[in-house]
Amino acid sequence: MADRIKLLVHLRRLSGLLESAFRNGPDGTLEGKFAAEHPVFVHHGNAFYLAGCMAFLEGEDGSFSWSSPSASYPDFDSFVACYPAPPQASFSARGISKAAMDALACIRNAAVHHDGDLAKNRNQQSVSIVSEANIPGVSLVGTVVHLEAQFLSFVRLATLAVRNYRGEF
């Protein structure tokens, strides 16, 4: 299987596994002790998926690869506004943008290094960057980010958008 097909398949399979676990519980139940732990499980599952996707993107094209021009487009926002072609909704119509990608980087840094606290990131604008991006499944309690189930599909779509922008597909 070609590497580009593997990426599509693995992103979909991993997100499918996590979506099922979020919906049904990792052991097939949302009862008892697990019911109370469910929001934390969803948050951490999303954080692991985001960290893996961001690490993959960085390994392929370097940090913040959505911030530099691609071979065919001057900037990421120009690309997401027109891709994919109609009748499908463009990436930008689904919330993907340079600002959203910057917010995902802030969320990843907070989740991986600071127990979700955006205020502890090096980028002191992280709280406002994440707030303004309005990403599905992201909520803030003070400066601490919480990730909910719908965040997962946004991360998968954002990863695909960046790989398409960089010419993967």
Side-chain angles (χ1 to χ4, degrees):
M1 183 183 306
D3 283 345
R4 65 184 188 169
I5 303 300
K6 286 180 186 177
L7 170 66
L8 290 172
V9 170
H10 293 155
L11 280 173
R12 172 63 76 186
R13 285 180 180 164
L14 286 171
S15 67
L17 286 169
L18 286 169
E19 285 171 350
S20 177
F22 292 172
R23 192 174 43 255
N24 303 316
D27 58 356
T29 182
L30 291 175
E31 298 172 359
K33 178 181 164 188
F34 183 73
E37 297 171 356
H38 187 251
V40 175
F41 171 74
V42 170
H43 171 81
H44 287 289
N46 275 315
F48 293 147
Y49 187 76
L50 173 62
C53 288
M54 296 297 279
F56 174 79
L57 291 174
E58 290 174 357
E60 292 294 304
D61 296 306
S63 297
F64 296 88
S65 62
W66 55 87
S67 293
S68 58
S70 73
S72 304
Y73 292 89
D75 60 68
F76 187 65
D77 286 337
S78 297
F79 169 75
V80 296
C82 66
Y83 194 86
Q88 293 181 320
S90 68
F91 285 127
S92 66
R94 295 184 261 178
I96 307 298
S97 66
K98 180 188 177 303
M101 293 307 303
D102 290 343
L104 290 179
C106 291
I107 293 166
R108 184 269 318 263
N109 291 341
V112 170
H113 301 293
H114 308 295
D115 201 26
D117 191 347
L118 293 163
K120 293 180 180 177
N121 282 358
R122 272 188 232 154
N123 183 343
Q124 293 300 300
Q125 301 301 314
S126 292
V127 174
S128 63
I129 290 169
V130 171
S131 295
E132 292 168 13
N134 199 29
I135 295 174
V138 174
S139 61
L140 290 174
V141 176
T143 61
V144 177
V145 69
H146 292 276
L147 307 175
E148 299 161 5
Q150 62 270 35
F151 179 72
L152 188 69
S153 61
F154 186 87
V155 172
R156 183 177 48 81
L157 187 64
T159 303
L160 292 174
V162 173
R163 291 307 300 143
N164 275 281
Y165 176 64
R166 301 311 307 171
E168 174 70 19
F169 306 109

